[in-house]
């Protein structure tokens, strides 16, 4: 039934869906979650555009109903409006394709038969669908609100897997079905820059957030931005880099959102300004989060670096220096929100009045699983390359070298994951031993307020945890401040005002007096008569 | 054999790191019209701190912070080749490349920032925040220059990058990229005007505020080694590396003196000023440099 050329690609995406959703299944909304899983199966394993669209729509609606249990009405409206917009664009593209091909089956589609204008129109419509789902800047409002208002577990599903649906759609449409189509290269160029601009703006927005899940939502948008940029190159190695980053981002976001779900369960708080100092109450969660942020920052020694390395080398291979500079700039800026995430929750001083609960044990499983995989991928960076390479070959690209699992190869160089981890491990143990053996004894401070404070003594009511506000100085930097100030919601609000004015005008036609209606009917009749002549 | 090579590299980085640290204090004192401490003062300070009877700690993360930082510095030294030919003093450079090193440079400071944060001292985290905010603009010109160098050589491998400069070093082949990278390099070395991170009069030494005794000694030692690694990186990327140890010492010394003199005469930029300057001037230089490739 499902035999089209990218079956392994479908396996990869559906496998990731299972990895994310299965550990998070709960009695609450169980049916809807299973429906969501089913819709993802239909979407990924579709062999005709009709099935693909049904999967796409089912995914949207089932997640809408899950979201409805916790989100505000305005958020739900935003969610459904944006997603319907995306779905209509997809439907438009499918309709156009059907018009030219006369079939909705994947195997019947031959994009080389499409005239350029139709191909470009289809590409534009598909871009809208992909961009809405990926939260490209300007179309991202629904992402941030729904991530922060969903139940903590559903936030993890939204970010870890549902955000990848757009990526899948792009790959299937542009790299499988419409590969031979004469799409204007400028469109992909615009897409590449939109991706990187999204990741830069979203990174700055993430830094200035006070709510944990809003920070992570913007971070997701930024990471998907990289994938969009790299996919726009339409090359085999870029596809593999994008898929590798998809895999890594799924693991990272599952880990981070579940970590935050645990913290919300323990403290009942969601804001950095109300948290802090949790490290000694929840050391395991702290370590898990540290693994998550080091991977998110793309540091070596954890899997996050592997996909960043592939993305960078793919851009180098294409000699896209400025695009790469922008991606690296966004990536370096992300260190700030990564640190804010760990500092705001676990470090600094603990608030006074806090009462703590216990986090459900089951929340640890997905975190431990993700962390273990991220460590394994750091040690064996080429582990998924064989699989990704086969996908690339299926889609008609050259295979990658995965002869040594410890070494990640690229056209611009390689690195040895085992050597990196080994060297760091030996240095760490040796230096720790040196510190332990030192004559000097470490004396632990008993009172957390016993700190160097410019010769003064802080009191318990002194606010020492104001570091949660890091990132506010970005508002004073001339080229960043406008990015933080201008909110795309203003644009959408204006659009909605224009729409409501227009609909008021239309509705006034229905509430006219009898004389006016008669006059209007006469006018229409005259026009018809004139037209008839 | 490899082990001996690695140890020798660490020893050279440690020795020259402290020598340059002493020289830096001396040279900047002369520029300011003072005599300054003796050359070995920083080294003896670090030994003295290491054998102090007591060091304050705030818990295990605080303890591990300097260890992660120092491990990061060690890795940087080991993954950047000291020489552009032969088999000695190459360390683990064949297991990594320039992109790995660019990210390793941030690993240590980020690890230490965890230790700083766990002390609960607001000055520490203020310093870290300043550092990370400055970093977002500081890295950009350096990245642009590094991208140019990699595209020019067709590889991120250090050996190939140095080989590509056998006829003409990148400093003369791509002067704008060198200028962009050098301005960033001043910031990486903690030199004025980009030394807002640990400003003693403002944030009470910033990230180093709570560290004392053996922790401070470890931080000083890693700082010396890390500085040498940064000098090494610049020499490899823009001056074609070094054929032998003597050339390496000469090249790193010239670069170090240039950075020290510039750092001694400039006043400190605020965080916002640093970011705005770095985004305007060196980034623009980097972009024009890339366009001319």
């Amino acid at each position: 039934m499902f035999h089209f050329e990218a079956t392994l690609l479908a396996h990869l995406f559906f496998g990731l869906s299972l990895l994310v959703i299965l550990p998070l299944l709960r009695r609450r909304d169980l049916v809807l979650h299973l429906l969501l899983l089913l819709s993802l199966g239909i979407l990924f394993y579709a062999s005709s555009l009709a099935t693909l669209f049904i999967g796409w729509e089912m995914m949207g609606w089932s997640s809408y109903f899950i979201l409805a249990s916790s989100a505000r009405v305005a958020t739900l409206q935003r969610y459904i409006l944006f997603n319907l917009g995306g779905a209509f664009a997809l439907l438009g593209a499918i309709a156009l394709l059907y018009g030219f091909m006369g079939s909705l089956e994947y195997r019947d589609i031959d994009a080389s038969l499409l005239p350029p204008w139709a191909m470009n129109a289809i590409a534009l419509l598909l871009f809208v669908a992909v961009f809405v789902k990926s939260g490209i800047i300007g179309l991202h409002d629904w992402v941030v609100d729904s991530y922060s208002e969903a139940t903590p577990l559903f936030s993890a599903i939204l970010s870890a897997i549902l955000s990848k649906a757009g990526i899948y759609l792009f790959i299937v449409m542009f790299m499988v079905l419409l590969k031979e189509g004469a799409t204007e290269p400028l469109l992909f160029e615009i897409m590449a820059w939109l991706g990187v601009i999204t990741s830069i703006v979203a990174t700055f927005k993430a830094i200035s957030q006070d709510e944990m899940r809003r920070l992570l939502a913007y971070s997701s948008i930024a990471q998907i931005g990289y994938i969009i940029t790299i996919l726009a190159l339409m090359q085999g190695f870029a596809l593999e880099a994008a898929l590798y980053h998809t895999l890594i981002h799924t693991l990272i976001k599952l880990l981070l959102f579940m970590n935050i779900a645990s913290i919300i369960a323990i403290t009942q708080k969601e804001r950095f300004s109300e948290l802090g100092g949790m490290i000694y109450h929840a050391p395991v969660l702290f370590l898990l989060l540290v693994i998550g942020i080091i991977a998110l920052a793309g540091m070596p020694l954890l899997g996050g670096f592997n996909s960043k390395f592939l993305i960078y080398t793919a851009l180098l291979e294409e000699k896209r220096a400025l695009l790469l500079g922008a991606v690296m700039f966004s990536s370096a800026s992300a260190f700030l929100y990564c640190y804010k995430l760990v500092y705001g929750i676990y470090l600094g001083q603990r608030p006074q009045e806090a009462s703590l609960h216990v986090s459900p044990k089951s929340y640890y499983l997905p975190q431990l699983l993700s962390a273990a995989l991220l460590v394994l991928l750091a040690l064996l960076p080429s582990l998924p390359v064989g699989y990704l390479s086969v996908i690339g070959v299926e889609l008609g690209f050259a295979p990658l070298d995965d002869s040594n699992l410890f070494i990640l190869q690229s056209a611009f160089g390689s690195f040895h994951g085992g050597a990196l981890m080994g060297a760091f491990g030996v240095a760490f143990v040796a230096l720790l031993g040196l510190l332990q053996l030192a004559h000097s004894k470490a004396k632990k401070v008993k009172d957390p307020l016993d700190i160097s404070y410019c010769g003064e003594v802080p009191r318990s009511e002194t606010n020492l945890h104001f570091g949660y506000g890091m990132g506010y100085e970005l508002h004073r930097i001339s080229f960043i401040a406008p990015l933080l100030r201008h909110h795309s919601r203003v644009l959408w609000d204006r659009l909605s005002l224009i729409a409501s004015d227009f609909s008021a005008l239309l509705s006034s036609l229905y509430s006219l007096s009898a004389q006016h209606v008669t006059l209007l009917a006469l006018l229409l009749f005259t026009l018809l008569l004139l037209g008839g002549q | 054999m490899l082990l001996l090579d690695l140890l020798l590299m660490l020893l050279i980085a440690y020795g020259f790191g402290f020598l340059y640290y002493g020289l830096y204090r001396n040279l900047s004192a002369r520029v300011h019209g003072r005599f300054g401490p003796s050359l070995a003062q920083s080294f003896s300070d670090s030994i003295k701190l290491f054998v102090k009877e007591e060091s304050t700690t705030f818990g295990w993360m605080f303890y591990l912070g300097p260890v992660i930082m120092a491990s990061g510095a060690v890795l940087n030294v080991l993954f950047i080749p000291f020489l552009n030919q032969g088999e000695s003093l190459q360390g683990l450079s064949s297991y990594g490349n320039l992109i790995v090193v660019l990210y390793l440079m941030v690993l240590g400071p980020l690890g230490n920032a965890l230790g700083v944060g766990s002390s609960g001292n607001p000055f520490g985290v203020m310093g870290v925040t300043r550092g990370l905010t400055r970093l977002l603009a500081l890295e950009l010109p350096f990245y642009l220059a590094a991208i140019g160098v990699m595209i020019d050589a067709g590889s991120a491998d250090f050996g190939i990058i140095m080989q590509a400069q056998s006829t003409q070093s990148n400093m003369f082949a791509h002067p704008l990229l060198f200028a962009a990278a050098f301005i960033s390099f001043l910031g990486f070395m903690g030199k004025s005007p980009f030394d807002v991170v640990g400003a003693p009069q403002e944030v009470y030494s910033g990230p180093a505020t709570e560290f004392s005794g053996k922790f401070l000694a470890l931080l000083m030692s890693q700082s010396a080694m890390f500085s040498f690694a940064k000098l090494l990186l610049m020499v490899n990327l823009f001056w074609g590396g070094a054929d032998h140890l003597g050339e390496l010492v000469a090249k790193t010394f010239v670069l170090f003196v240039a950075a020290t003199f510039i750092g001694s005469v400039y006043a400190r930029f605020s965080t916002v000023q640093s970011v705005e300057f770095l985004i305007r001037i060196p980034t623009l230089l980097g972009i024009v440099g890339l366009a001319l490739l």
Side-chain angles (χ1 to χ4, degrees), chain B residues 19-63:
Chain B
L19 180 69
Y20 286 164
Y21 201 174
L23 263 175
Y24 154 70
R25 292 178 68 179
N26 238 282
L27 286 176
S28 57
R30 298 301 158 91
V31 175
H32 295 154
R34 297 178 281 117
F35 282 107
S38 76
L39 271 185
Q41 187 63 49
S42 303
F43 177 69
S44 48
D45 279 352
S46 78
I47 299 297
K48 178 195 75 182
L49 284 165
F50 196 71
V51 295
K52 281 259 184 194
E53 283 194 359
E54 226 173 59
S55 316
T56 315
T57 170
F58 288 80
W60 57 269
M61 190 61 239
F62 186 83
Y63 200 108

Side-chain angles (χ1 to χ4, degrees), chain A residues 280 298 309 312 329 331 336 339 348-349 412 414-416 435 439-443 445 451-452 454 473 478-479, chain B residues 51-59 95 97 103 113 117 120-121 129 132-133 136 156 204 210 214 276 279-280:
Chain A
Y280 299 115
F309 179 73
Y312 295 168
F329 173 58
S331 179
L336 197 52
Y339 185 67
Q349 298 279 355
F412 260 71
S414 60
F415 72 92
H416 194 294
L435 268 198
H439 168 66
S440 172
K441 292 285 163 273
K443 182 187 163 200
V445 170
I451 52 174
S452 305
C454 288
E473 65 273 24
S478 56
F479 72 97
Chain B
V51 295
K52 281 259 184 194
E53 283 194 359
E54 226 173 59
S55 316
T56 315
T57 170
F58 288 80
Y95 294 102
N97 54 53
Y103 267 84
N121 189 314
T129 308
L132 289 173
T133 311
L136 66 93
Y204 213 24
E210 284 295 342
K214 60 182 176 184
E276 293 194 341
I279 289 292
R280 285 195 186 121

